[in-house]
Amino acid sequence: MMDEATAPLFQQVADLIADAIVDGSLPEGERAPSTNELAAFHHINPATARKGLTLLVEQGILSKRRGVGMFVEVGAKELIITMRKQNFAHDYAVPLVDEAAKLGMNQQELTTLIQQVAESRGLYR
């Protein structure tokens, strides 16, 4: 995943909607925010919001219902999780290992650090 600050705005919009689907605040089958709602809320151009929504339609996460709006597809949450898992190593692990190498950390130090962070987040309790 791109650094949020450097990702294009339309990608940031798509990511925010995908995050809402994954965390359950935008359930499957529900209407997604409209282009105009997104543009007004985030103070962005409606074309940018539309591009973010279109990306999610192309990925099969949202579907258009003519005259009604965009809706979260059944199975969208699992689809997002699957796509993110497929990109996880490239987006997170590679930069992490590269930075650890630059800092002269060995494998054990990196493993210990990951375990400590995971425990602090309640992942391994």
Side-chain angles (χ1 to χ4, degrees), residues 23-75:
D23 74 20
S25 60
L26 182 57
E28 295 177 357
E30 292 293 314
R31 186 176 80 71
S34 71
T35 297
N36 292 333
E37 290 168 339
L38 288 168
F41 184 79
H42 295 289
H43 306 289
I44 59 174
N45 187 308
T48 302
R50 185 176 311 106
K51 191 171 180 180
L53 290 171
T54 299
L55 178 62
L56 294 173
V57 169
E58 291 169 355
Q59 293 173 337
I61 294 166
L62 298 179
S63 62
K64 295 179 188 179
R65 294 189 193 164
R66 188 175 211 128
V68 184
M70 303 254 191
F71 286 79
V72 180
E73 284 287 314
V74 172

Coordinates of all heavy atoms in Angstrom, one line a residue, residues 23-75:
D23 N -13.8 -2.8 8.3 CA -14.1 -2.7 9.8 C -15.6 -2.8 10.1 O -16.0 -2.8 11.3 CB -13.5 -1.4 10.3 CG -14.2 -0.1 10.0 OD1 -15.4 -0.2 9.5 OD2 -13.6 1.0 10.1
G24 N -16.4 -3.0 9.1 CA -17.8 -3.2 9.3 C -18.7 -2.0 9.4 O -19.9 -2.1 9.5
S25 N -18.1 -0.8 9.4 CA -18.9 0.4 9.5 C -19.7 0.7 8.2 O -20.7 1.5 8.2 CB -18.1 1.6 9.9 OG -17.1 1.9 8.9
L26 N -19.3 0.0 7.1 CA -20.1 0.1 5.8 C -20.3 -1.4 5.4 O -19.5 -2.0 4.7 CB -19.3 0.8 4.7 CG -20.0 1.0 3.4 CD1 -21.3 1.7 3.5 CD2 -19.1 1.8 2.4
P27 N -21.4 -1.9 5.9 CA -21.7 -3.4 5.6 C -22.0 -3.7 4.2 O -22.5 -2.9 3.4 CB -22.9 -3.6 6.5 CG -23.1 -2.4 7.4 CD -22.4 -1.3 6.7
E28 N -21.8 -5.0 3.9 CA -22.2 -5.5 2.6 C -23.7 -5.3 2.3 O -24.5 -5.5 3.3 CB -21.8 -7.0 2.5 CG -20.3 -7.1 2.5 CD -19.8 -8.6 2.5 OE1 -20.7 -9.5 2.5 OE2 -18.6 -8.8 2.5
G29 N -24.0 -4.9 1.1 CA -25.4 -4.7 0.8 C -25.9 -3.3 1.0 O -27.0 -2.9 0.5
E30 N -25.1 -2.5 1.8 CA -25.5 -1.1 2.1 C -25.1 -0.2 0.9 O -24.2 -0.4 0.2 CB -24.9 -0.7 3.4 CG -25.4 -1.4 4.6 CD -26.8 -1.0 4.9 OE1 -27.2 0.2 4.9 OE2 -27.6 -2.0 5.2
R31 N -25.8 1.0 0.9 CA -25.4 2.0 -0.1 C -24.1 2.7 0.4 O -24.0 3.1 1.5 CB -26.5 3.0 -0.2 CG -26.3 4.1 -1.3 CD -27.4 5.0 -1.5 NE -27.4 6.1 -0.5 CZ -26.6 7.2 -0.5 NH1 -25.6 7.2 -1.4 NH2 -26.7 8.1 0.4
A32 N -23.2 2.9 -0.6 CA -22.0 3.6 -0.3 C -22.2 5.1 -0.4 O -23.2 5.5 -1.1 CB -20.9 3.1 -1.3
P33 N -21.4 5.9 0.2 CA -21.5 7.3 0.0 C -21.5 7.7 -1.5 O -20.7 7.1 -2.3 CB -20.3 7.9 0.7 CG -19.8 6.9 1.6 CD -20.2 5.6 1.0
S34 N -22.3 8.7 -1.9 CA -22.3 9.2 -3.3 C -21.0 10.0 -3.6 O -20.3 10.5 -2.7 CB -23.5 10.0 -3.5 OG -23.4 11.2 -2.9
T35 N -20.8 10.2 -4.9 CA -19.8 11.1 -5.3 C -19.8 12.5 -4.6 O -18.9 13.0 -4.1 CB -19.8 11.2 -6.8 OG1 -19.6 10.0 -7.4 CG2 -18.8 12.2 -7.4
N36 N -21.0 13.0 -4.7 CA -21.2 14.4 -4.1 C -21.0 14.4 -2.6 O -20.5 15.3 -2.0 CB -22.6 14.9 -4.5 CG -22.6 15.3 -5.9 OD1 -21.6 15.5 -6.6 ND2 -23.8 15.2 -6.5
E37 N -21.5 13.3 -1.9 CA -21.3 13.2 -0.4 C -19.8 13.1 -0.1 O -19.3 13.8 0.8 CB -22.0 12.0 0.1 CG -23.5 12.1 0.1 CD -24.2 10.8 0.4 OE1 -23.7 9.7 0.2 OE2 -25.4 10.8 0.8
L38 N -19.1 12.3 -0.8 CA -17.6 12.2 -0.6 C -16.9 13.5 -0.9 O -16.1 13.9 -0.1 CB -17.1 11.0 -1.5 CG -17.4 9.6 -1.1 CD1 -17.0 8.7 -2.1 CD2 -16.7 9.3 0.3
A39 N -17.3 14.1 -2.0 CA -16.6 15.4 -2.4 C -16.8 16.5 -1.3 O -15.9 17.2 -0.9 CB -17.1 15.8 -3.7
A40 N -18.1 16.6 -0.9 CA -18.4 17.6 0.1 C -17.7 17.3 1.5 O -17.1 18.2 2.1 CB -19.9 17.7 0.3
F41 N -17.8 16.1 1.9 CA -17.2 15.7 3.2 C -15.7 15.9 3.2 O -15.1 16.3 4.2 CB -17.6 14.2 3.6 CG -17.1 13.8 4.9 CD1 -17.8 14.2 6.1 CD2 -15.9 13.1 5.1 CE1 -17.4 13.8 7.3 CE2 -15.5 12.7 6.3 CZ -16.2 13.1 7.5
H42 N -15.0 15.4 2.1 CA -13.5 15.5 2.1 C -13.0 16.7 1.4 O -11.8 16.9 1.3 CB -13.0 14.2 1.4 CG -13.3 13.0 2.1 ND1 -12.7 12.6 3.3 CD2 -14.1 12.0 1.9 CE1 -13.1 11.5 3.7 NE2 -14.0 11.0 2.9
H43 N -13.9 17.6 1.0 CA -13.5 18.9 0.3 C -12.6 18.6 -0.9 O -11.5 19.2 -1.0 CB -12.8 19.8 1.3 CG -13.6 20.1 2.5 ND1 -14.7 20.9 2.5 CD2 -13.4 19.7 3.8 CE1 -15.2 20.9 3.7 NE2 -14.5 20.2 4.5
I44 N -13.1 17.7 -1.7 CA -12.3 17.4 -3.0 C -13.3 17.5 -4.2 O -14.5 17.7 -4.0 CB -11.8 15.9 -2.9 CG1 -13.0 14.9 -2.7 CG2 -10.8 15.8 -1.8 CD1 -12.5 13.4 -2.8
N45 N -12.7 17.5 -5.3 CA -13.4 17.6 -6.6 C -14.3 16.3 -6.7 O -13.8 15.2 -6.5 CB -12.4 17.7 -7.7 CG -13.0 18.0 -9.0 OD1 -14.0 17.3 -9.5 ND2 -12.5 19.0 -9.7
P46 N -15.5 16.5 -7.2 CA -16.4 15.3 -7.4 C -15.8 14.3 -8.4 O -16.0 13.1 -8.2 CB -17.7 15.9 -7.9 CG -17.7 17.3 -7.4 CD -16.3 17.7 -7.3
A47 N -15.0 14.8 -9.4 CA -14.4 13.9 -10.3 C -13.4 13.0 -9.6 O -13.3 11.8 -10.0 CB -13.7 14.7 -11.4
T48 N -12.7 13.5 -8.6 CA -11.8 12.7 -7.9 C -12.5 11.6 -7.1 O -12.1 10.5 -7.0 CB -10.9 13.6 -6.9 OG1 -10.3 14.6 -7.7 CG2 -9.9 12.8 -6.1
A49 N -13.6 12.0 -6.4 CA -14.4 11.1 -5.7 C -15.0 10.0 -6.6 O -14.9 8.8 -6.2 CB -15.5 11.8 -4.9
R50 N -15.4 10.4 -7.7 CA -16.0 9.5 -8.7 C -14.9 8.5 -9.2 O -15.2 7.3 -9.3 CB -16.5 10.2 -9.9 CG -17.2 9.3 -10.9 CD -17.9 10.1 -12.1 NE -18.7 11.2 -11.6 CZ -18.3 12.5 -11.7 NH1 -17.2 12.8 -12.3 NH2 -19.1 13.5 -11.3
K51 N -13.7 8.9 -9.4 CA -12.6 8.0 -9.8 C -12.3 7.0 -8.7 O -12.1 5.8 -9.0 CB -11.4 8.9 -10.1 CG -10.3 8.1 -10.8 CD -9.2 9.0 -11.3 CE -8.1 8.2 -12.0 NZ -7.0 9.0 -12.5
G52 N -12.4 7.4 -7.4 CA -12.2 6.4 -6.3 C -13.3 5.4 -6.3 O -13.0 4.2 -6.1
L53 N -14.5 5.8 -6.5 CA -15.7 4.9 -6.5 C -15.6 4.0 -7.7 O -15.8 2.8 -7.6 CB -17.0 5.7 -6.5 CG -17.3 6.4 -5.3 CD1 -18.6 7.3 -5.5 CD2 -17.6 5.5 -4.1
T54 N -15.2 4.5 -8.9 CA -15.1 3.7 -10.1 C -14.0 2.6 -9.9 O -14.2 1.5 -10.4 CB -14.7 4.6 -11.3 OG1 -15.8 5.5 -11.5 CG2 -14.5 3.8 -12.6
L55 N -12.9 2.9 -9.2 CA -11.9 2.0 -9.0 C -12.5 0.8 -8.2 O -12.2 -0.4 -8.5 CB -10.7 2.6 -8.2 CG -9.6 1.7 -7.8 CD1 -8.9 1.1 -9.0 CD2 -8.6 2.5 -6.9
L56 N -13.3 1.1 -7.2 CA -13.9 0.0 -6.4 C -14.9 -0.8 -7.2 O -15.1 -2.0 -7.0 CB -14.6 0.6 -5.1 CG -13.6 1.2 -4.1 CD1 -14.3 2.0 -3.0 CD2 -12.6 0.2 -3.6
V57 N -15.6 -0.1 -8.1 CA -16.5 -0.9 -9.0 C -15.7 -1.8 -9.9 O -16.1 -3.0 -10.1 CB -17.4 0.1 -9.9 CG1 -18.1 -0.6 -11.0 CG2 -18.3 0.9 -9.0
E58 N -14.6 -1.3 -10.4 CA -13.8 -2.2 -11.3 C -13.2 -3.4 -10.6 O -13.0 -4.4 -11.1 CB -12.6 -1.3 -11.9 CG -13.1 -0.3 -12.9 CD -12.0 0.7 -13.3 OE1 -10.9 0.7 -12.7 OE2 -12.3 1.5 -14.2
Q59 N -13.0 -3.2 -9.2 CA -12.5 -4.3 -8.4 C -13.6 -5.3 -7.9 O -13.3 -6.3 -7.3 CB -11.7 -3.7 -7.2 CG -10.5 -3.0 -7.6 CD -9.8 -2.3 -6.4 OE1 -10.4 -2.0 -5.4 NE2 -8.5 -2.0 -6.6
G60 N -14.8 -4.9 -8.2 CA -15.9 -5.8 -7.8 C -16.3 -5.6 -6.4 O -17.1 -6.4 -5.8
I61 N -15.9 -4.5 -5.8 CA -16.2 -4.2 -4.4 C -17.6 -3.4 -4.3 O -18.4 -3.7 -3.4 CB -15.1 -3.4 -3.7 CG1 -13.8 -4.3 -3.7 CG2 -15.5 -2.9 -2.4 CD1 -12.6 -3.6 -3.4
L62 N -17.8 -2.5 -5.2 CA -19.1 -1.8 -5.3 C -19.8 -2.1 -6.6 O -19.1 -2.5 -7.6 CB -18.8 -0.3 -5.2 CG -18.2 0.3 -4.0 CD1 -18.0 1.8 -4.1 CD2 -19.0 0.0 -2.7
S63 N -21.1 -1.9 -6.6 CA -21.8 -2.1 -7.9 C -22.7 -0.9 -8.0 O -23.2 -0.3 -7.0 CB -22.6 -3.4 -7.9 OG -23.6 -3.4 -6.9
K64 N -23.0 -0.5 -9.2 CA -23.9 0.7 -9.5 C -25.3 0.2 -9.7 O -25.5 -0.8 -10.3 CB -23.5 1.4 -10.8 CG -22.1 2.0 -10.8 CD -21.8 2.7 -12.1 CE -20.4 3.2 -12.2 NZ -20.0 3.8 -13.5
R65 N -26.2 0.9 -9.1 CA -27.7 0.6 -9.3 C -28.2 1.9 -9.9 O -28.3 2.9 -9.2 CB -28.4 0.2 -8.0 CG -27.9 -1.1 -7.5 CD -28.8 -1.6 -6.3 NE -28.1 -2.7 -5.6 CZ -28.5 -3.1 -4.4 NH1 -29.5 -2.5 -3.8 NH2 -27.8 -4.1 -3.8
R66 N -28.6 1.8 -11.1 CA -29.0 3.0 -11.9 C -30.1 3.8 -11.1 O -31.1 3.2 -10.7 CB -29.5 2.6 -13.3 CG -29.8 3.8 -14.1 CD -30.1 3.4 -15.5 NE -29.7 4.4 -16.4 CZ -28.9 4.2 -17.5 NH1 -28.5 3.1 -17.8 NH2 -28.6 5.3 -18.2
G67 N -29.8 5.1 -10.9 CA -30.8 5.9 -10.2 C -30.9 5.8 -8.7 O -31.6 6.5 -8.1
V68 N -30.1 4.8 -8.2 CA -30.2 4.6 -6.7 C -28.9 4.9 -6.1 O -28.8 5.4 -5.0 CB -30.6 3.1 -6.4 CG1 -30.8 2.9 -4.9 CG2 -31.9 2.8 -7.2
G69 N -27.8 4.5 -6.7 CA -26.4 4.8 -6.1 C -25.5 3.6 -6.2 O -25.8 2.6 -7.0
M70 N -24.5 3.6 -5.5 CA -23.5 2.5 -5.4 C -23.7 1.7 -4.1 O -24.0 2.3 -3.1 CB -22.1 3.1 -5.4 CG -21.7 4.0 -6.5 SD -20.6 3.1 -7.6 CE -20.2 4.4 -8.7
F71 N -23.6 0.4 -4.3 CA -23.8 -0.5 -3.1 C -22.6 -1.4 -2.9 O -21.9 -1.8 -3.9 CB -25.1 -1.3 -3.3 CG -26.3 -0.4 -3.2 CD1 -26.7 0.4 -4.2 CD2 -27.0 -0.5 -2.0 CE1 -27.9 1.2 -4.0 CE2 -28.1 0.3 -1.8 CZ -28.6 1.2 -2.8
V72 N -22.4 -1.8 -1.7 CA -21.3 -2.7 -1.3 C -21.8 -4.1 -1.8 O -22.8 -4.6 -1.4 CB -21.0 -2.7 0.2 CG1 -19.9 -3.7 0.5 CG2 -20.6 -1.3 0.6
E73 N -20.9 -4.8 -2.6 CA -21.2 -6.1 -3.0 C -21.1 -7.1 -1.9 O -20.3 -7.0 -1.0 CB -20.2 -6.5 -4.1 CG -20.5 -5.9 -5.5 CD -21.7 -6.5 -6.2 OE1 -21.8 -7.7 -6.2 OE2 -22.5 -5.7 -6.6
V74 N -21.9 -8.2 -2.0 CA -21.8 -9.3 -1.1 C -20.5 -9.9 -1.4 O -20.1 -10.1 -2.5 CB -23.0 -10.3 -1.3 CG1 -22.7 -11.5 -0.4 CG2 -24.3 -9.6 -0.9
G75 N -19.7 -10.2 -0.3 CA -18.3 -10.8 -0.5 C -17.2 -9.7 -0.6 O -16.1 -10.1 -0.7

